[in-house]
Each structure stands twice: as structure tokens, then as C-alpha cells.
Amino acid sequence: GTESFHLAFRNLPKVNREGIRHQALEYLHKFEHKSWYDDPICTIINGEDHRIGKQIETKDAFDSGNGMQILAPRSVISEVEHHLKTFRPEKTDNRAKVRSIENELFGPLAGDLIGNQALDFKKQDGVTEIEEAIEAGCIEQRLNDQLLEDEAKGRVNINRSPAFVGCVSNFSNFLDLSRKVLRNIELGVPVVVLSRSNTTQHMFRWSQLLVDLMKKHSLDLGLVTYVSCSLQ
């Protein structure tokens, strides 16, 4: 690799593990289990919740009920399809806003991410995952800087077709939220986050947090779509 590529992997940020662990415990102590029933998972398009459709109970890692989900009917799926076919990002360089959002997600909201994952997937060490996400995020930001620079110089052309994010439970904060979603939307690549048949609550909750922060930071809401649907 080039020297600039190798430099991207040096001088990584120090992570306050104890502080993050304290945040997670505080969140878990205050968590209201009925909140995931009162505020069901739903499809989100352009920052708007779509709450029509069949409701089902969601399951955690041990197949116990832990909330509700609204499965999008065909009419809502058609709205998703229309949005993805017609959406064009306002900007193709969203680094400043996305990184401000990222600082909040992996700063004051890190305990929420860890807590929701622990409640849903029963992950035992979400702290290490957040630590890895912060370190990897720093590297990937630098690599995206180089990618955008190469695009500006005509060396590459970034494909900005929608990226579909099929979430995994074990590394949802490290891989799905940070690597698959944040790194894409800062390049102006729209993403579609797909629900799961189990342990889907914590993925929806970080999508929900992300959309709220996008509103706060005036980031193009069309960049993130969450689809709550069945396999059929």
C-alpha cells in the first residue's frame, strides 16, 4: 500500500473503557422494558415513520418476547422502492455532519448502543466492540478522506447506488452501524437497513437514534431508510 494508506492506521484514539461501561450500566438500570412495546419497530423513509401493517412480537436471542414490530405492507414497500429509485443525495461529501453524529453515537450515546445490544442479543462485552468501532472508525474516516480526494482528482468514480445493510447481531455496532452505514452516507451513498427475524430490536434502535441525530445536524434524511418487513 501507499504511505498515506499506512499512515491511516497510526495514532489511534484512546478509549475510556470504564466511562463507556458506566454509561451502559446506567442505561440498563434505567431501561423501561415496555418501551419496546410502546414504540414498535417500523419502516422509516426520509425520516418519517410508517406505522401501518401487521404487528408481531419480536424475539431476543433466547426466543423470549421483548417488544413489537410493524411489518410493512406492500404499499409501504412500494414507497421504499420509489424512494430508492428516485433519490439523489443533496451532497456527496457529508463528512463534517456524519462525523459530528458519530461523535455523539460513540460518545454520550455509547451506553445506549451497548445496553440495547445486551438486552436484545445478550452480548456480554459490548464495551470492547465500541472500543474497536471508535478505533476502526478513525482509520476508515482517513481512508474515506483519501477516497474522496481520489474522486475529486478523477482517479475513481464512487458508485452511489443504494447499499443494502443486512445486520448481524454480534457486531452490529462495529460493522453495521459504523462501517456499513456511517462510512457510506458520508460519501453520499444511501443505505437501506433491513430488519431481522430475531434480535432485531437493537438494530432498529440505533437506526432510530441515527435518524434523530440526522435531523439534529440537518443531514439529508433520504440517505437512511429502515425497512421493517417479513421475508415474504
Side-chain angles (χ1 to χ4, degrees):
T2 63
E3 179 63 19
S4 59
F5 176 81
H6 288 289
L7 286 173
F9 292 81
R10 300 174 187 171
N11 301 317
L12 300 183
K14 300 295 182 183
V15 179
N16 181 1
R17 291 177 56 89
E18 288 305 315
I20 293 173
R21 183 178 289 107
H22 176 75
Q23 288 179 31
L25 291 172
E26 284 290 307
Y27 179 82
L28 289 168
H29 286 314
K30 296 177 181 177
F31 181 75
E32 294 286 344
H33 289 271
K34 66 188 294 290
S35 65
W36 288 357
Y37 285 90
D38 295 340
D39 179 24
I41 293 170
C42 66
T43 296
I44 303 174
I45 310 170
N46 262 323
E48 297 293 329
D49 293 349
H50 290 255
R51 295 186 176 276
I52 60 170
K54 178 183 177 181
Q55 291 204 29
I56 62 169
E57 188 175 33
T58 56
K59 303 294 184 180
D60 66 15
F62 294 109
D63 206 34
S64 297
N66 66 347
M68 297 299 292
Q69 177 179 7
I70 301 170
L71 300 178
R74 180 67 242 182
S75 61
V76 174
I77 297 299
S78 295
E79 289 189 52
V80 171
E81 292 172 345
H82 176 74
H83 171 68
L84 298 179
K85 289 175 181 177
T86 60
F87 174 74
R88 298 295 180 271
E90 295 172 0
K91 295 176 60 179
T92 55
D93 182 355
N94 298 304
R95 285 175 291 176
K97 290 180 179 180
V98 170
R99 292 174 190 184
S100 293
I101 289 170
E102 191 168 3
N103 287 339
E104 292 193 49
L105 282 169
F106 292 101
L109 293 173
D112 298 42
L113 299 177
I114 296 169
N116 288 335
Q117 187 184 40
L119 289 162
D120 194 25
F121 180 63
K122 311 303 181 185
K123 181 159 182 168
Q124 297 178 16
D125 187 13
V127 174
T128 298
E129 184 181 351
I130 294 296
E131 180 181 29
E132 292 170 343
I134 292 170
E135 293 174 341
C138 178
I139 295 168
E140 291 163 357
Q141 286 176 8
R142 296 167 182 169
L143 295 177
N144 264 4
D145 292 342
Q146 295 176 35
L147 182 59
L148 280 172
E149 182 180 351
D150 281 345
E151 184 179 51
K153 292 178 178 178
R155 295 172 177 168
V156 297
N157 180 39
I158 299 172
N159 186 332
R160 291 184 170 87
S161 300
F164 286 80
V165 178
C167 294
V168 298
S169 295
N170 196 34
F171 296 109
S172 56
N173 296 323
F174 172 61
L175 289 176
D176 304 321
L177 170 57
S178 56
R179 181 167 293 170
K180 299 177 186 177
V181 174
L182 294 175
R183 295 288 74 79
N184 268 314
I185 65 175
E186 74 174 4
L187 297 175
V189 178
V191 299
V192 185
V193 184
L194 304 173
S195 64
R196 290 168 47 89
S197 59
N198 59 59
T199 62
T200 196
Q201 281 286 347
H202 67 290
M203 288 96 167
F204 174 72
R205 301 304 158 184
W206 63 244
S207 298
Q208 195 175 47
L209 282 173
L210 174 58
V211 171
D212 286 345
L213 289 170
M214 291 171 69
K215 293 176 181 178
K216 176 182 174 181
H217 291 270
S218 300
L219 181 62
D220 188 348
L221 296 173
L223 285 165
V224 173
T225 300
Y226 185 92
V227 181
S228 172
C229 63
S230 68
L231 291 174
Q232 287 70 38

